Amino acid sequence: MPQSAEKVLDHAKLFHEPEYQEMLARKRDTFECPASAEAVEAQREYTKTWGYREKNLAREAAVINPAKACQPLGAVFAAAGFEKTMSFVHGSQGCVAYYRSHLSRHFKEPASAVSSSMTEDAAVFGGLNNMIDGLANTYSLYEPKMIAVSTTCMAEVIGDDLKSFIQNAKKKGSVPEEYDVPFAHTPAFVGSHVDGYDNMIKGVLDHFWAGKERKAGDTINIIPGFDGFCVGNNREYKRILDLMGVKYTLIQDASDQFDTPSDGHFRMYSGGTTLADTEAALNAKATVSLQAWCTRKTLDYIGETGQETASFHYPLGVAATDELLMKISALAGVAIPEQLTLERGRLIDAMADSQAYLHGKKYAIFGDPDFVQAMARFVMETGGEPTHCLATNGTKAWEEEMRTLLASSPFGGDAKVWGGKDLWALRSLMLTEPVDFLIGSSYGKYLERDTGTPLIRLTFPIFDRHHHHRFPLVGYQGGLRLLTTILDKVFDKLDRDSEVPAKTDISFDLTR
Amino acid sequence: MLKDKVKALFDEPACGVNQAKSEKDRKAGCSKPLTPGAAAGGCAFDGAKIALQPVTDAAHLIHGPLACEGNSWDNRGSGSSGSDLWRRSFTTDLTELDIVTGQGEKKLYRGIREIAQRFAPAAVFVYSTCVTALIGDDIDAVCKHASAKYGLPVIPVNGAGFVGSKNLGNKIAGQALLDHVIGTVEPDDVGPTDIVILGEFNLAGEFWQVKPLFDRLGIRVRACVPGDARYAEIAGAHTARATMVVCSTALVGLARQMTERWGIPYFEGSFYGVLDTSESLRQVARLLVARGAPDDLIARTEALVTEEESRVAARLDPYREKLAGKRVLLNTGGVKSWSVVAALMEIGMEIVGTSVKKSTPEDRERIKILMREDPHMFESMAPRDLYKMLADGEADIMLSGGRTQFIALKAKTPWLDINQERVHPYAGYDGMVELVKQIDLALHNPMWAQVRAPAPWDEDGNLIETVVALAAATSPSPLQGEVKESAVEAAQPDDSFAARHRKKFSESRVENSDPEYLARHRKKFAKTDADDMGEC
């Protein structure tokens, strides 16, 4: 055998060894009744045709490779952005394990959340006892300052009522009467993680604000939205707001929770919006959402309190950042500092330096609605064409907004918007109408492999590359990172296409 | 001794400018005097190296401290269809101890030995540098000895940096070829249609767009120096029947001496622009026929030219609408200015300025004929003036070399590299289409709108009232609005303007094909100096 104690082969190499290759082939031939290589190849070729694309896009029943997660994931992420808050997901515990691993694999950090561990008897008799025991255990085991309750499908299907359950639990003494237990119903069969985020933020605000009188002040609330790059981005938002001298409260800030230092201390909780600030946020002058599709209900709710609200779509690139800064400047009555104007000029300078390499490039973009919208806009700023814009959790309203955006630039003329479509549909789109680059999450790597289109990882989840989320993408500074990430891929491709000695290396240039 | 050599190189009977000078001026040499304290171009070493470096199957060994080679390693985009040995970085990497103890020659000898044994190159070019020239290393002797010992040509190139400008380095390189290379190999397949092309660098592989034209005419390019050249081809170059000097006076001395020594006639031509490419093909055919090639070559050349010209015109058509009326500033130091001007005007672009720093009075007259209204000629323009012109929005795009790119970018003007660092081939008929395509791309990048627009707030960072209203609405942004506007303009050009332009220049094309005009036009390329070596 190729494996030996002296020289242990990693699995990436080991199974390429002839022994394994032979074994796998034998297994295939003996037990799997395989189709002939020609038949497999013919089928593969068939999936590249327009005929298959039409069938693929007409598909109604099965969803294949959806680019979205479920509501409770968004709720757990949202809760992680508040001071010493433990997520408590009412329902079956396997779901919670998924949210934790999902967040952990992306951020390379521990992600804590607990479940009420409902079982079959709970499904039959209701999950009240699980709530009562669960809250008591969470309270005593993990000593959170707040427990944020959301739900899995199981609890939603049997119709457990969180509000009364939590009241009952408090009466039974699970947690003190005055203890903070905000909640949100987050059925996975409705919407996606961006809605779960929305519901949880609304639940937290409602918990602190309900029944209170608003005394309008002069601070501004900022809600970042579901953002896998929150570590870098939230810190950039704060830097910009500090530079502008704005009084603000970031509502939901998971940047420290998902970026704790290795210094010998395990921090189950780190950073986040304080409960006091969350409560006081009622008195803010206005609330600005940085991802409109993540905060539809929340902003409606905040609007009802009498605050002014504004929303953006993830401020990537020059024009989008301009709009955000101007809105904040107008709301807070402060000037935009020279520092930011300089940063703006530098980003534009960088874009001008590299424009020839980006002009006319075609992209397929997938991800959450706000991200796709922002990315399409940035791509068009650089002279690229966002040929396929796909959001599995994109709604009809999103599609409409996207079309307006695309119509505003000649570079969006040929672009198409695909709300509700999955990545298997994107595969057909990319095989029939090829693009130069694919922008999305790690899940795009299968498309990269099948279509040969280089993948640029710029949105959650990024499982197979490390630390991208530590750098901001938003604002002018983030724009540089965004630009560089795209350019790196462009140049890597140029190099790869010109690296065969004496054959294609004529353009293997040192200077580009 | 060095002084005599340099003097001889500068006494160039084939150079019109040189001959027009007084005896005294000629002594001063033809390169621009070096100005201590002012920003300057490369040195003689750099000039010598770039002129020979594209010889692909040779090893280029730089004898000196590391940085001479370290800073210039692989900095040119010549294309090779074979060996990549020329891109390897070979240097003797002299240290302080080597210099103090005089180990330079030994180190050089060992360096040549190692290269000969490990890489078996077709030849080794050895370049001296300031340090090794100053300490008196006799590289001629070392090369001679090593050549005999290892049985391969080892050619000394005595162009230390302090000798003079980059252009002088080019001449020194040409002289080295003449002294040590050309005529050392006798090819066994000499034919009546063999030619040599001098001063063609095959940047971005562009000569490969031209060579098929010669192939179709049955003309064999015996050697193209230095782009994609093999050592043996250059060594047998003396058997060619005609020489074409592309762009650079740097090697015109070489061409003249090849005429004197082997009786090979030469002419100066260019592959930039449609008319120039056609005219160069015709000239080659004429020279060859005059020396005994079959007469039908001329007719076949005409047929090829006609076919290619109509094909290129058809391929340029789609750009006429998009580019008509766009204003171009050419700042490229003479060479490409005029060969490209005619073609850009042909598709309706407006030339708002071009550098004429190397043009003679007759040339200026021709410029006036070509441009009719408002010939905007300028001598070499100071960066400050260039910046002002661009910042004032007097041009839509600047075509230049990399040195002035940042002036354009900081002045918020699109820019296209048409010099040595470019990555697109612009030579020949296809090259013209490529150039126009690249201009189109550069001009219509949407980010220029953002580059040009000021930050949408005032200088103190306070919001401007009109913008506040716009900012309140989420989309489209004011910037996007602008992009859209300019695009609409591009999609629906002012027909009357384009038409006016075409009319305006419709006659100049007739004049451009006037042989007398072209003959003088050709002369313009003879005025190239140091900065343009390898940039054409």
Side-chain angles (χ1 to χ4, degrees):
Chain A
M1 292 298 282
Q3 195 66 290
S4 81
E6 276 74 40
K7 187 168 186 284
V8 177
L9 289 182
D10 181 73
H11 67 96
K13 290 269 174 62
L14 179 65
F15 300 119
H16 298 175
E17 295 290 328
E19 289 86 344
Y20 284 98
Q21 289 293 313
E22 279 161 30
M23 180 190 75
L24 294 169
R26 202 165 56 239
K27 208 173 142 198
R28 202 160 44 234
D29 293 340
T30 318
F31 299 108
E32 293 176 7
C33 306
S36 68
E38 294 77 29
V40 171
E41 195 49 46
Q43 190 65 22
R44 193 204 313 279
E45 287 305 315
Y46 171 58
T47 64
K48 295 177 182 173
T49 61
W50 278 86
Y52 181 78
R53 166 178 159 152
E54 276 156 31
K55 287 194 173 62
N56 191 3
L57 290 175
R59 173 163 48 87
E60 285 175 356
V63 174
I64 310 173
N65 300 346
K68 66 168 181 178
C70 65
Q71 279 214 48
L73 176 82
V76 168
F77 175 84
F82 292 93
E83 176 194 9
K84 286 198 78 173
T85 296
M86 178 59 80
S87 260
F88 181 104
V89 190
H90 183 49
S92 48
Q93 68 180 26
C95 303
V96 182
Y98 287 141
Y99 316 142
R100 293 181 60 195
S101 61
H102 223 64
L103 294 169
S104 197
R105 286 168 186 176
H106 172 80
F107 288 109
K108 314 298 175 202
E109 284 286 327
S112 302
V114 298
S115 158
S116 60
S117 303
M118 284 168 66
T119 51
E120 191 176 2
D121 53 340
V124 175
F125 301 112
L128 179 58
N129 285 333
N130 295 64
M131 178 68 79
I132 293 168
D133 293 349
L135 285 180
N137 287 335
T138 307
Y139 183 69
S140 56
L141 278 174
Y142 305 114
E143 299 174 339
K145 250 183 125 167
M146 173 164 97
I147 299 175
V149 180
S150 50
T151 53
T152 71
C153 302
M154 183 179 178
E156 289 298 325
V157 168
I158 63 174
D160 281 0
D161 177 19
L162 290 182
K163 188 166 187 180
S164 65
F165 275 28
I166 292 167
Q167 274 168 3
N168 272 324
K170 284 186 172 175
K171 278 196 196 112
K172 297 265 182 187
S174 296
V175 295
E177 256 323 309
E178 69 286 358
Y179 186 75
D180 294 315
V181 188
F183 65 91
H185 285 279
T186 53
F189 45 77
V190 178
S192 72
H193 57 291
V194 299
D195 303 290
Y197 180 92
D198 193 7
N199 285 331
M200 195 73 229
I201 299 292
K202 179 170 173 254
V204 171
L205 295 183
D206 188 51
H207 169 79
F208 285 105
W209 295 0
K212 296 206 174 82
E213 190 66 33
R214 172 173 177 260
K215 293 189 226 51
D218 57 358
T219 59
I220 292 173
N221 297 326
I222 308 283
I223 308 179
F226 186 98
D227 185 6
F229 279 68
C230 65
V231 172
N233 281 348
N234 287 7
R235 289 172 185 166
E236 180 64 13
Y237 289 136
K238 288 189 267 192
R239 189 185 70 88
I240 290 171
L241 292 164
D242 288 340
L243 273 172
M244 293 179 78
V246 177
K247 274 167 71 181
Y248 64 93
T249 304
L250 217 57
I251 294 183
Q252 202 276 331
D253 176 11
S255 59
D256 288 350
Q257 178 67 42
F258 290 121
D259 187 24
T260 58
S262 279
D263 56 3
H265 295 286
F266 172 69
R267 295 165 174 81
M268 182 167 268
Y269 312 105
S270 180
T273 311
T274 66
L275 305 190
D277 283 352
T278 309
E279 189 173 353
L282 172 63
N283 299 323
K285 180 171 193 278
T287 294
V288 174
S289 163
L290 301 178
Q291 294 195 68
W293 301 107
C294 288
T295 50
R296 281 170 291 173
K297 287 183 186 168
T298 302
L299 278 197
D300 285 348
Y301 171 78
I302 293 174
E304 284 163 18
T305 68
Q307 283 189 31
E308 193 178 331
T309 62
S311 62
F312 295 88
H313 296 293
Y314 207 49
L316 301 183
V318 179
T321 305
D322 288 350
E323 283 170 11
L324 174 64
L325 295 192
M326 289 193 287
K327 187 71 201 179
I328 290 183
S329 167
L331 284 173
V334 295
I336 294 161
E338 197 192 355
Q339 167 77 17
L340 291 175
T341 309
L342 284 175
E343 287 175 11
R344 182 182 192 276
R346 287 174 192 140
L347 173 59
I348 289 178
D349 183 61
M351 286 163 69
D353 289 343
S354 313
Q355 54 89 13
Y357 288 95
L358 298 174
H359 195 152
K361 292 281 184 295
K362 290 184 174 184
Y363 301 85
I365 304 168
F366 74 90
D368 290 342
D370 288 293
F371 172 77
V372 174
Q373 207 161 333
M375 206 58 230
R377 193 172 173 188
F378 178 72
V379 157
M380 291 193 294
E381 273 187 350
T382 66
E385 299 175 25
T387 308
H388 309 298
C389 299
L390 182 142
T392 308
N393 48 357
T395 58
K396 288 268 174 271
W398 172 78
E399 288 188 316
E400 276 313 304
E401 268 203 35
M402 279 299 293
R403 289 199 186 100
T404 312
L405 170 71
L406 296 171
S408 71
S409 159
F411 292 85
D414 296 331
K416 294 227 174 55
V417 184
W418 304 96
K421 292 293 178 195
D422 52 35
L423 296 185
W424 190 254
L426 185 55
R427 184 179 185 276
S428 274
L429 296 175
M430 289 170 66
L431 285 168
T432 46
E433 293 175 89
V435 293
D436 297 307
F437 296 96
L438 171 65
I439 295 177
S441 69
S442 285
Y443 285 119
K445 75 189 294 178
Y446 306 106
L447 294 173
E448 180 177 40
R449 184 187 59 185
D450 289 2
T451 67
T453 315
L455 168 66
I456 304 170
R457 293 164 176 82
L458 284 168
T459 193
F460 179 89
I462 298 176
F463 293 153
D464 60 345
R465 296 291 184 273
H466 295 186
H467 311 310
H468 288 206
H469 64 277
R470 294 176 198 273
F471 301 93
L473 300 180
V474 297
Y476 304 126
Q477 289 289 87
L480 287 175
R481 170 82 183 170
L482 199 58
L483 181 73
T484 312
T485 307
I486 296 174
L487 281 170
D488 276 352
K489 210 47 122 179
V490 171
F491 291 125
D492 280 350
K493 183 167 192 319
L494 263 178
D495 282 342
R496 219 174 31 251
D497 291 347
S498 61
E499 68 186 0
V500 181
K503 199 160 181 190
T504 66
D505 69 341
I506 286 142
S507 304
F508 192 66
D509 294 335
L510 181 67
T511 311
R512 292 202 190 274
Chain B
M1 207 180 89
L2 178 68
K3 218 171 138 192
D4 297 340
K5 243 187 189 170
V6 170
K7 204 176 137 199
L9 285 171
F10 277 139
D11 182 17
E12 182 49 72
C15 172
V17 173
N18 187 283
Q19 292 310 303
K21 281 177 179 172
S22 69
E23 189 65 30
K24 192 175 151 231
D25 286 346
R26 209 174 301 154
K27 262 186 201 150
C30 63
S31 71
K32 283 179 293 189
L34 303 183
T35 318
C43 61
F45 159 72
D46 192 44
K49 190 187 166 200
I50 59 174
L52 295 175
Q53 182 175 243
V55 180
T56 58
D57 57 353
H60 300 270
L61 173 59
I62 284 70
H63 184 40
L66 177 88
C68 297
E69 167 60 4
N71 295 336
S72 64
W73 177 25
D74 200 15
N75 61 352
R76 298 264 149 170
S78 294
S80 166
S81 59
S83 174
D84 67 349
L85 188 65
W86 67 289
R87 290 178 85 166
R88 304 267 178 121
S89 176
F90 296 112
T91 174
T92 48
D93 185 17
L94 288 199
T95 63
E96 189 173 18
L97 207 60
D98 295 326
I99 294 163
V100 172
T101 59
Q103 295 295 303
E105 290 174 358
K106 267 186 202 153
K107 221 173 170 183
L108 173 60
Y109 183 74
R110 290 193 205 111
I112 297 169
R113 179 176 66 198
E114 192 156 330
I115 289 170
Q117 288 171 349
R118 287 187 54 182
F119 296 95
V124 181
F125 285 95
V126 173
Y127 302 80
S128 76
T129 61
C130 292
V131 169
T132 50
L134 284 171
I135 63 175
D137 279 2
D138 185 350
I139 72 166
D140 288 57
V142 175
C143 287
K144 198 173 168 192
H145 185 63
S147 180
K149 182 91 176 172
Y150 301 112
L152 84 168
V154 182
I155 297 100
V157 184
N158 279 302
F162 61 79
V163 173
S165 68
K166 196 154 123 188
N167 174 254
L168 178 60
N170 303 152
K171 293 181 197 295
I172 287 170
Q175 196 60 39
L177 291 181
L178 199 66
D179 291 348
H180 300 282
V181 183
I182 299 174
T184 58
V185 167
E186 288 301 331
D188 56 9
D189 58 349
V190 177
T193 56
D194 293 358
I195 61 165
V196 171
I197 294 177
L198 294 180
E200 165 57 53
F201 288 79
N202 196 30
L203 294 171
E206 63 185 6
F207 185 64
W208 297 327
Q209 293 185 162
V210 177
K211 192 165 172 296
L213 301 173
F214 287 120
D215 291 345
R216 278 164 66 188
L217 293 172
I219 294 172
R220 175 166 55 193
V221 179
R222 166 65 67 190
C224 173
V225 184
D228 195 21
R230 306 292 187 282
Y231 180 81
E233 292 173 353
I234 302 177
H238 63 293
T239 59
R241 313 289 291 171
T243 301
M244 171 174 169
V245 180
V246 178
C247 283
S248 172
T249 15
L251 295 180
V252 81
L254 178 57
R256 173 184 53 84
Q257 292 186 70
M258 285 174 76
T259 309
E260 286 167 7
R261 208 177 282 188
W262 295 290
I264 308 167
Y266 74 92
F267 75 100
E268 294 172 40
S270 162
F271 296 122
Y272 293 112
V274 173
L275 297 174
D276 284 86
T277 304
S278 300
E279 188 52 28
S280 294
L281 293 176
R282 289 191 185 107
Q283 275 275 21
V284 167
R286 276 199 288 270
L287 285 181
L288 287 175
V289 168
R291 296 199 69 206
D295 288 342
D296 71 325
L297 181 59
I298 288 176
R300 285 190 293 117
T301 305
E302 281 308 322
L304 177 87
V305 163
T306 310
E307 184 194 330
E308 287 293 322
E309 284 190 356
S310 68
R311 196 173 63 91
V312 81
R315 289 182 65 199
L316 286 175
D317 259 338
Y319 296 101
R320 285 179 210 277
E321 291 292 279
K322 291 169 89 173
L323 297 178
K326 296 287 180 196
R327 299 161 305 156
V328 182
L329 175 64
L330 282 158
N331 182 43
T332 178
V335 175
K336 280 162 297 291
S337 303
W338 292 101
S339 39
V340 169
V341 146
L344 294 186
M345 282 172 51
E346 235 291 295
I347 60 165
M349 298 190 79
E350 189 180 345
I351 312 296
V352 294
T354 186
S355 158
V356 289
K357 79 176 165 186
K358 290 129 197 170
S359 304
T360 63
E362 305 99 77
D363 291 328
R364 285 161 208 242
E365 284 309 304
R366 290 295 167 179
I367 292 163
K368 283 178 191 161
I369 293 172
L370 186 64
M371 294 176 68
R372 287 178 187 272
E373 298 168 21
D374 304 328
H376 297 285
M377 300 176 275
F378 55 88
E379 295 297 326
S380 70
M381 202 181 253
R384 199 181 296 112
D385 302 328
L386 204 53
Y387 177 82
K388 188 174 180 308
M389 185 170 176
L390 295 171
D392 290 348
E394 289 177 32
D396 293 314
I397 186 168
M398 180 168 84
L399 310 184
S400 76
R403 265 175 310 179
T404 44
Q405 77 166 294
F406 295 108
I407 296 175
L409 295 179
K410 301 298 176 194
K412 308 178 174 183
T413 304
W415 165 83
L416 186 67
D417 191 351
I418 54 170
N419 279 0
Q420 77 272 21
E421 278 163 13
R422 67 176 185 267
V423 291
H424 302 285
Y426 296 148
Y429 298 110
D430 294 333
M432 198 58 223
V433 179
E434 181 67 26
L435 174 67
V436 169
K437 180 181 155 210
Q438 292 303 325
I439 291 175
D440 176 42
L441 279 177
L443 263 175
H444 292 117
N445 193 306
M447 56 89 41
W448 296 117
Q450 275 181 343
V451 168
R452 291 198 193 108
W457 45 81
D458 69 17
E459 286 192 358
D460 301 323
N462 293 313
L463 298 186
I464 303 160
E465 271 179 34
T466 50
V467 185
V468 176
L470 276 168
T474 39
S475 68
S477 79
L479 293 172
Q480 279 184 333
E482 191 163 329
V483 169
K484 194 182 175 187
E485 217 166 77
S486 68
V488 170
E489 186 191 314
Q492 304 166 331
D494 180 354
D495 277 333
S496 60
F497 188 84
R500 184 168 68 78
H501 240 268
R502 272 201 286 278
K503 194 171 161 227
K504 178 170 155 189
F505 297 119
S506 58
E507 283 171 44
S508 41
R509 186 152 186 228
V510 179
E511 303 235 11
N512 293 353
S513 56
D514 164 18
E516 188 203 0
Y517 162 71
L518 282 162
R520 295 203 191 165
H521 187 159
R522 198 95 315 104
K523 273 285 179 202
K524 276 185 216 90
F525 307 120
K527 309 308 175 297
T528 316
D529 82 353
D531 298 328
D532 302 300
M533 181 61 189
E535 293 182 355
C536 52

